[in-house]
Amino acid sequence: MKLSTFAVILATCLFNLFLWDLSNKPVDLDGSTYPVASISLNPYQRYQDPFGGHTPTLEDMTRDVELLVGKTKAIRLYSAREGLDKVTELAAKHRIAITGGAWLDHRLENNRLELDSLIAMAKKFKNVKRALVGNETQLHGAVPYELLISYLDEARRSLNIPVSTAEPWDYWLEHPELAKHVDFIAIHVLPYWVDVPAQSETGESAVEYVLKRYEAVKRAFPQKHVVISETGWPS
């Protein structure tokens, strides 16, 4: 690569970083109050990951839950395996509700373990108030649609709490038939990923974007409770 070409590429990258930084300045949420309705929690610590067999210790999970005491009424989990049901047990001591989760992907044996673990956790702990079977599996093509339906139907037969699956808000509007297999609609609304700024003096802000998409889904499914299962802004 010629030096001049490299310089152009470098200058372009730096300019893009400058524009990104300019439009994504940190925002102080002076108007926020605690506790918030719910917080999504991934208890894996730095250098831990579920695929490498490095799982959080009880001390890790205890520290995370204690940090959230008084700041949230509920915690959403993405799995009940590898000891993560301990988060539910710890949360119960502080009267924090749990939305349990089963992480589904192309690994069928793992899916079986995930679903069984979620069902077992929900039956064991009274603070598990909702269950989410799969997270953006249809957006990413991780699980065939009919297989997801079978998992949802099984979970609904097995549990006496509301069951759903989590997908971006627009997926539900484009595939309304999925609503027949859930008890509530769980949507992800993430303005950051569609270049909507946190604050804007001329156009739509992140909060306005979230509320408008939430209302659009509510209008589309008037007989279903709609829950924002993921939203927020990276810091």
Side-chain angles (χ1 to χ4, degrees):
M1 182 184 294
K2 293 182 179 179
L3 184 60
S4 59
T5 303
F6 176 77
V8 170
I9 294 174
L10 179 61
T12 302
C13 291
L14 290 174
F15 181 68
N16 281 313
L17 284 172
F18 169 76
L19 291 178
W20 182 90
D21 180 70
L22 193 66
S23 61
N24 291 282
K25 292 294 185 183
V27 177
D28 294 324
L29 300 179
D30 296 329
S32 65
T33 58
Y34 292 116
V36 297
S38 181
I39 289 177
S40 297
L41 174 65
N42 171 10
Y44 285 85
Q45 310 296 305
R46 192 176 187 183
Y47 306 124
Q48 294 175 347
D49 73 88
F51 301 105
H54 307 293
T55 56
T57 65
L58 179 59
E59 289 74 17
D60 292 332
M61 292 182 278
T62 300
R63 184 170 58 251
D64 280 357
V65 171
E66 289 179 349
L67 283 171
L68 296 176
V69 173
K71 295 182 174 64
T72 185
K73 298 177 181 178
I75 292 172
R76 177 191 172 186
L77 296 174
Y78 291 81
S79 175
R81 292 192 60 215
E82 304 295 346
L84 298 187
D85 58 332
K86 287 294 183 182
V87 172
T88 302
E89 183 177 357
L90 293 164
K93 297 177 181 178
H94 300 286
R95 299 182 180 180
I96 298 176
I98 291 290
T99 297
W103 186 266
L104 305 179
D105 53 32
H106 64 280
R107 300 168 297 167
L108 297 183
E109 292 183 3
N110 185 73
N111 291 352
R112 182 73 264 161
L113 294 172
E114 286 281 346
L115 189 58
D116 289 346
S117 297
L118 171 60
I119 292 171
M121 184 181 75
K123 288 182 175 180
K124 181 178 180 180
F125 297 104
K126 293 182 179 179
N127 62 323
V128 181
K129 303 300 184 182
R130 293 191 181 99
L132 287 174
V133 179
N135 183 73
E136 295 187 350
T137 63
Q138 302 308 288
L139 172 67
H140 298 293
V143 177
Y145 178 80
E146 293 301 327
L147 184 57
L148 174 63
I149 296 305
S150 71
Y151 291 145
L152 286 167
D153 291 346
E154 179 181 347
R156 295 176 75 195
R157 288 193 303 268
S158 302
L159 298 173
N160 58 2
I161 59 173
V163 174
S164 187
T165 188
E167 292 288 343
W169 66 274
D170 51 342
Y171 181 88
W172 291 97
L173 298 183
E174 294 167 4
H175 302 85
E177 68 280 0
L178 181 58
K180 299 176 183 177
H181 301 275
V182 299
D183 299 308
F184 65 99
I185 309 295
I187 63 173
H188 292 175
V189 192
L190 298 162
Y192 175 84
W193 292 114
V194 289
D195 298 323
V196 176
Q199 293 181 333
S200 174
E201 296 180 359
T202 57
E204 191 174 45
S205 70
V207 172
E208 291 170 330
Y209 177 89
V210 171
L211 292 177
K212 286 181 180 179
R213 275 64 191 178
Y214 170 69
E215 292 296 335
V217 178
K218 283 182 64 177
R219 287 193 299 271
F221 301 98
Q223 305 303 317
K224 297 279 187 179
H225 185 53
V226 178
V227 174
I228 299 177
S229 52
E230 272 190 19
T231 192
W233 194 263
S235 64

